[in-house]
Amino acid sequence: MGYSAAGAHRPLAAITADDLSAAGAGAGGVAALHSAVQRALDARGADGPAAVWGELSRSVLSPSVPFAVHRMLYYGCYAGFPSTTPPAWIPDPEEAVLTNVGRVLEARGREFLGEAYKDPISSFSDFHKFSNENPEAYWKMVFEEMGITFSVEPSCILKDNDAYPGGEWLPGAVLNAAANCLSAKPGRNSYDAAIVWRDEGKDSEPLNFVTLEELRKKVCLVANALDSLNLAKGSAIAIDMPMNVNAVVIYLAIVLAGYVVVSIADSFAAPAISLRLKISEAKAIFTQDYILRDDKELPLYSRVVEAKAPMAIVIPVRMSTPIKGLRADDLSWEDFLGIVDHTKADNYIAIEQPAYAFTNILFSSGTTGEPKAIPWTHLTPLKAAADGWCHMDIRRGDVVAWPTNLGWMMGPWLVYASLLNGASMALYNGSPNSSGFAKFVQDAKVTMLGLVPSIGRTWKSTDCTAGVDWSIIRCFSSSGEASSVDDYLWLMGRACYKPVIEYCGGTEIGGGFVTGSLLQPQALSAFSTPAMGCNIFILDNNGNPLPQDSADTGELALDPTFLGSSTTLLNADHHEVYFSGMPEWNGKVLRRHGDEFERTAEGYYRAHGRADDTMNLGGIKVSSIEIERICNRVNDDILETAAIGVPPLGGGPEQLTVAVVFKDQSSQPEDLNQLKLAFNTALKKLNPLFKVSSVVVVPSLPRTASNKVMRRVLRKDFTQQPKHSKI
């Protein structure tokens, strides 16, 4: 069956100048464009459609050419192509040897792989296999490349230990992840930029920079002030604020000083903040008075107060404006920093800790309605940074941007993946869905730009990237939710067709388990490889692992032997959540993840959403039960509801559909729009970002013999052929 993700398409050879003109190509350039297409066909046609597309994307198509033309030529290249995952980008051998992995393989490929080594592109799959079969050699190499230092070296990389699923990593090691972030890497110095940033609305002003030395001094000042609060080492200290320079400084200071960060997203309402503070037993919290977006002041400190938070240190958005109405035990940022003698605060002796000591508590929604509290250790940053080094090819001197928040795992990931690799992180204090952010990416010379697909979709629909030059970007990366082929074809075209490295993992992993590589062809909305050091399995209908090279679809399971993954939960049974009832492979119990995955005949992977009753809404995992509990109370005529994450027909992020069963079918309201509005109003209390896309009235919910709701049946029904009353 030929490639037809977007319906029937005319083969490239059949596309005429009139077709290009109808797609929006300028009248003056149609003939030249058509001739260029024909030349690409003549020159590379014998090498296959991927080679033709490579020629067109490199030499013919630019951001100024209408996207409809890009789309026509892409689908035209692959019309009739016998694959569902045609490559949108092919690695160039000359560029491949410049990547982090390519450089190492050129120098040490034969040492690692013996006579089987050929070149970085041909041997990448063998190198991935090597990372799993010889973790001692692989991880020693990675730590050397990243310049990781230990105050006490580990006795080995990995050893068997029944107390740790998959084994104990870096036994005996003592280190501090934050201290490693604040030391200059080989080839870099303390006066290189660690952070580049800009405020929204100041798009024409020069960029702001924080050097590594300035960052170190700021972190040491806050670490000294933290010690003046007389909290016990290991105490939990929360951060609930946008991801700006102050947030990064506070985060690193808490870890440097031997305390534990509690990450809370700045979008959460008071009840969600309160729950996370209670679970983590936080002793203090850093926050802002409000969040500034489009000159609007969105209250934040008042939400923290409503959550009955412990002592708060409150940072004013406008430093010249004093904060009014502080609670008796709360401190302004100025008073907090004033605790310390600034003449002696430029240095701090890092609290070196065992590798498995907690550094950060993050939250991931489970299927019971209460978020799982997941501790990160000093090992987790090493996994995050190693993924950035290998898969996103983050190099020393690079600039990395990823609009996110410390409340989600990609916030701490960005801190570690940039600083531990000797790169700068780029922070924009404003909405990423704006032309201001697009210009910031250009001005900051961002080399790796991460995003969630909904942001890319907004960029495409608003054309806010028009007129900016993103050509210096070396790759994009995408995580959090399923992406759309057309959206990411458009995105690649904004940077002269640089690849999108899809990245799927979890908070409990500290990084990804399946992703892409600049040494492999990349297909849109697909993953080309398990992450380095990770083995993944697709389970059959009986819950047994299929052969790893078979093309099939099923629930995904993970080999438990990978660095940085969680070993405990604060408020749940870790073994019950991740290992109970799972099959064995090579004598090891596989680790549950919960996503349904497909492996294609070409060896790519595609995500098909959650296999359990958890949804992914805008990159936020949330239990169906949480949504349903709220929706069931909206109207007294409602008997029950089922919340379903439904992928749109064209691909992309899941959309929330609520199936409704009324107590009496005659009580169904005539206008379901009003019911949808009521659902959305109620859900704002859970998270302002959650929004019901459609409401479907059903006579009853499908159930198992044990009376459990079969949400997967509803998801399949609503995705393929909606048959019920719907709005």
Side-chain angles (χ1 to χ4, degrees):
M1 187 177 188
Y3 181 64
S4 57
H9 298 281
R10 182 172 296 186
L12 194 65
I15 293 175
T16 66
D18 287 342
D19 293 328
L20 295 172
S21 180
V30 167
L33 179 59
H34 187 257
S35 295
V37 171
Q38 294 304 311
R39 286 195 301 273
L41 265 173
D42 293 342
R44 303 304 304 273
D47 299 325
V52 176
W53 171 246
E55 181 69 21
L56 291 174
S57 61
R58 282 192 303 269
S59 306
V60 177
L61 296 171
S62 69
S64 62
V65 175
F67 175 63
V69 174
H70 291 242
R71 188 177 184 278
M72 177 184 291
L73 298 183
Y74 172 74
Y75 286 116
C77 281
Y78 290 111
F81 187 65
S83 169
T84 58
T85 45
W89 179 84
I90 303 291
D92 178 273
E94 293 183 2
E95 295 176 357
V97 298
L98 302 177
T99 64
N100 288 327
V101 174
R103 175 177 47 79
V104 167
L105 285 178
E106 282 291 88
R108 303 179 65 182
R110 292 198 180 277
E111 173 191 341
F112 293 146
L113 305 179
E115 294 301 316
Y117 178 71
K118 297 178 182 178
D119 60 74
I121 295 174
S122 303
S123 299
F124 179 80
S125 294
D126 288 338
F127 190 50
H128 176 268
K129 185 177 180 182
F130 171 83
S131 74
N132 286 304
E133 295 181 347
N134 197 334
E136 192 83 17
Y138 175 76
W139 286 105
K140 278 185 177 179
M141 176 275 296
V142 172
F143 297 155
E144 289 171 3
E145 287 290 320
M146 295 194 302
I148 301 300
T149 59
F150 302 89
S151 59
V152 177
E153 293 285 336
S155 60
C156 61
I157 294 295
L158 177 67
K159 76 172 185 180
D160 291 334
N161 186 333
D162 292 340
Y164 298 93
E168 180 183 1
W169 289 92
L170 308 187
V174 177
L175 72 159
N176 187 290
N180 271 274
C181 288
L182 299 173
S183 60
K185 304 301 177 183
R188 300 276 283 165
N189 65 62
S190 58
Y191 298 100
D192 288 324
I195 302 174
V196 53
W197 62 278
R198 176 181 281 164
D199 285 331
E200 185 177 67
K202 298 183 178 180
D203 306 324
S204 298
E205 296 186 13
L207 295 167
N208 303 280
F209 296 91
V210 179
T211 68
L212 186 61
E213 176 64 9
E214 289 169 337
L215 178 62
R216 187 193 66 78
K217 289 181 178 180
K218 289 175 182 289
V219 170
C220 288
L221 173 61
V222 174
N224 279 297
L226 282 169
D227 282 351
S228 299
L229 297 178
N230 296 317
L231 300 175
K233 292 296 183 182
S235 294
I237 301 174
I239 302 176
D240 185 3
M241 55 190 293
M243 190 160 180
N244 51 33
V245 171
N246 282 330
V248 172
V249 167
I250 293 164
Y251 183 94
L252 291 171
I254 293 172
V255 177
L256 188 76
Y259 303 103
V260 180
V261 177
V262 179
S263 294
I264 300 178
D266 63 357
S267 61
F268 281 148
I273 298 171
S274 178
L275 180 60
R276 285 154 177 80
L277 293 172
K278 180 180 178 182
I279 292 171
S280 64
E281 299 182 1
K283 305 303 181 186
I285 183 170
F286 286 87
T287 190
Q288 286 184 181
D289 48 358
Y290 54 83
I291 301 168
L292 190 63
R293 288 289 183 273
D294 299 321
D295 286 328
K296 295 178 182 177
E297 297 181 0
L298 308 176
L300 183 55
Y301 174 56
S302 61
R303 278 186 269 148
V304 169
V305 171
E306 186 183 347
K308 295 180 171 56
M311 177 183 63
I313 296 94
V314 188
I315 304 171
V317 172
R318 296 183 174 92
M319 288 296 179
S320 59
T321 304
I323 298 172
K324 298 179 180 179
L326 284 179
R327 296 178 304 178
D329 293 335
D330 294 345
L331 293 172
S332 69
W333 181 240
E334 182 180 11
D335 289 341
F336 169 71
L337 296 181
I339 297 173
V340 183
D341 181 351
H342 285 224
T343 63
K344 301 177 181 178
D346 283 355
N347 292 292
Y348 190 91
I349 299 175
I351 304 300
E352 303 284 344
Q353 296 178 307
Y356 281 92
F358 293 173
T359 61
N360 195 177
I361 297 168
L362 294 104
F363 296 88
S364 176
S365 180
T367 58
T368 62
E370 182 174 86
K372 298 191 294 290
I374 301 169
W376 279 20
T377 69
H378 289 284
L379 293 174
T380 321
L382 305 183
K383 160 63 176 172
D387 281 357
W389 179 86
C390 175
H391 296 289
M392 292 78 172
D393 192 43
I394 298 174
R395 308 176 194 174
R396 288 169 192 146
D398 276 356
V399 181
V400 183
W402 199 312
T404 184
N405 184 268
L406 288 172
W408 309 116
M409 68 150 281
M410 293 313 298
W413 186 98
L414 175 61
V415 173
Y416 292 122
S418 55
L419 296 181
L420 288 180
N421 283 305
S424 306
M425 75 180 84
L427 303 177
Y428 183 73
N429 300 329
S431 170
N433 299 321
S434 65
S435 57
F437 177 81
K439 186 175 184 297
F440 171 68
V441 170
Q442 167 193 275
D443 295 349
K445 296 181 170 54
V446 169
T447 54
M448 200 290 283
L449 176 58
L451 69 158
V452 294
S454 55
I455 290 179
R457 178 167 290 183
T458 299
W459 291 344
K460 178 172 176 280
S461 64
T462 61
D463 198 28
C464 65
T465 65
V468 300
D469 181 1
W470 281 6
S471 59
I472 200 171
I473 290 174
R474 201 161 61 247
C475 75
F476 298 94
S477 190
S478 174
S479 187
E481 57 191 7
S483 60
S484 158
V485 169
D486 276 7
D487 288 348
Y488 277 11
L489 179 66
W490 174 88
L491 181 65
M492 288 178 64
R494 299 316 93 190
C496 303
Y497 282 95
K498 305 298 171 48
V500 179
I501 303 300
E502 296 277 2
Y503 190 52
C504 184
T507 306
E508 72 281 4
I509 293 169
F513 58 79
V514 65
T515 181
S517 169
L518 296 184
L519 299 179
Q520 294 178 303
Q522 296 302 301
L524 292 163
S525 303
F527 309 87
S528 64
T529 179
M532 297 298 276
C534 295
N535 256 324
I536 63 176
F537 301 87
I538 292 175
L539 306 182
D540 63 20
N541 291 333
N542 296 317
N544 298 314
L546 293 161
Q548 288 179 282
D549 59 354
S550 63
D552 216 320
T553 301
E555 182 176 348
L556 190 93
L558 310 175
D559 183 334
T561 307
F562 57 95
L563 178 75
S565 59
S566 65
T567 60
T568 187
L569 298 170
L570 296 189
N571 59 340
D573 185 321
H574 190 270
H575 181 270
E576 184 68 27
V577 170
Y578 295 114
F579 292 98
S580 179
M582 293 298 288
E584 288 191 4
W585 178 81
N586 279 2
K588 294 180 289 188
V589 178
L590 296 181
R591 180 174 178 133
R592 179 181 293 107
H593 181 71
D595 283 347
E596 189 170 277
F597 261 75
E598 170 194 3
R599 187 181 187 274
T600 72
E602 298 78 30
Y604 291 96
Y605 296 87
R606 287 193 185 279
H608 289 284
R610 299 292 294 176
D612 55 21
D613 292 333
T614 302
M615 294 174 289
N616 188 322
L617 303 178
I620 303 172
K621 290 180 182 178
V622 60
S623 157
S624 295
I625 295 170
E626 285 186 272
I627 302 287
E628 292 158 6
R629 186 180 294 120
I630 292 172
C631 291
N632 288 342
R633 297 197 297 262
V634 163
N635 188 311
D636 289 339
D637 292 327
I638 292 175
L639 176 64
E640 59 181 346
T641 61
I644 313 295
V646 179
L649 292 176
E654 290 183 349
Q655 297 176 347
L656 175 56
T657 294
V658 178
V660 181
V661 179
F662 287 98
K663 295 175 182 176
D664 183 344
Q665 295 300 312
S666 63
S667 64
Q668 175 183 330
E670 294 183 6
D671 186 0
L672 291 179
N673 267 319
Q674 292 299 316
L675 184 59
K676 182 167 74 173
L677 179 63
F679 284 156
N680 283 327
T681 299
L683 286 175
K684 285 182 179 179
K685 298 176 182 178
L686 178 61
N687 191 306
L689 301 178
F690 294 164
K691 183 179 180 182
V692 176
S693 176
S694 58
V695 175
V696 182
V697 177
V698 295
S700 62
L701 300 180
R703 296 181 181 274
T704 64
S706 60
N707 209 38
K708 292 181 179 179
V709 177
M710 295 190 290
R711 295 177 182 83
R712 274 191 279 183
V713 172
L714 291 170
R715 184 183 298 114
K716 183 177 180 180
D717 187 23
F718 297 160
T719 301
Q720 294 181 349
Q721 195 175 12
K723 303 189 285 281
H724 307 282
S725 301
K726 179 176 179 180
I727 190 69

